[in-house]
Amino acid sequence: MAKMTTPLTPEMLNQTKTHAQLCVTISVLNAFKLLEWIALACTLLAFASMMMTATSHLKIMGFLVVALGLAVFYFAFKLRVDAALFKQWQSLDVAALDDALLKINPQFQVGRSLEARLAASRALFHYGFYLLLLQLCALTVLAWFYEPIVFVF
């Protein structure tokens, strides 16, 4: 006996597509946690190298690596907020959410669709990833030219 299935309407297909995009975006945003750990390691290495060298250009390069790490952490914070909101999207009142976000950030764009919010979060992920790559490149240059302080007893 064949099962009767209801035909999918365009509205149902759109809801299914949006739900799939929501799930994928949440997964991608959660994957950024690994990149946070890499950024933390790079930042700590750069900070340690700044303390262990007397060369001014290496201190400046170390400061650049630390600053890039702080920028990655800024994007990581925003991505964690987005992931937490997307996980609760089904139970959120979007108008109340927009009002709350507008109070936090007066430049917030009210009334965006879920698709636009997901696209913005994916763009934040890409910016954070590119900053991490830039941090890794700067740390490589720092390691290449690193000259530690030599203590003579």
Side-chain angles (χ1 to χ4, degrees):
M1 179 172 190
K3 286 186 176 180
M4 300 260 319
T5 59
T6 58
L8 293 175
T9 63
E11 294 83 23
M12 291 174 69
L13 283 174
N14 193 21
Q15 287 178 351
T16 304
K17 181 181 175 187
T18 302
H19 180 71
Q21 288 177 345
L22 185 63
C23 291
V24 168
T25 301
I26 290 170
S27 298
V28 168
L29 297 182
N30 286 333
F32 199 80
K33 290 177 186 175
L34 173 64
L35 302 180
E36 288 178 54
W37 285 105
I38 295 170
L40 178 64
C42 291
T43 303
L44 291 175
L45 282 171
F47 188 74
S49 71
M50 286 172 48
M51 298 298 122
M52 298 297 291
T53 187
T55 311
S56 63
H57 68 280
L58 291 177
K59 286 187 183 260
I60 292 170
M61 186 58 118
F63 179 77
L64 174 67
V65 174
V66 170
L68 286 168
L70 293 175
V72 171
F73 294 140
Y74 171 75
F75 281 100
F77 173 76
K78 291 183 78 159
L79 290 172
R80 282 188 184 225
V81 170
D82 283 352
L85 291 175
F86 290 147
K87 285 178 185 175
Q88 300 174 5
W89 187 259
Q90 301 299 328
S91 63
L92 285 176
D93 177 18
V94 178
L97 174 66
D98 283 348
D99 288 340
L101 291 173
L102 190 60
K103 287 180 184 175
I104 294 172
N105 180 9
Q107 298 169 346
F108 179 74
Q109 298 173 359
V110 178
R112 293 186 302 162
S113 67
L114 177 60
E115 290 82 11
R117 294 171 197 252
L118 292 173
S121 288
R122 287 189 297 269
L124 280 176
F125 179 88
H126 289 119
Y127 293 144
F129 181 73
Y130 295 142
L131 278 172
L132 178 64
L133 287 179
L134 192 59
Q135 184 188 28
L136 287 169
C137 290
L139 184 65
T140 303
V141 170
L142 177 65
W144 185 267
F145 293 109
Y146 185 70
E147 300 169 6
I149 297 173
V150 178
F151 297 104
V152 178
F153 296 102

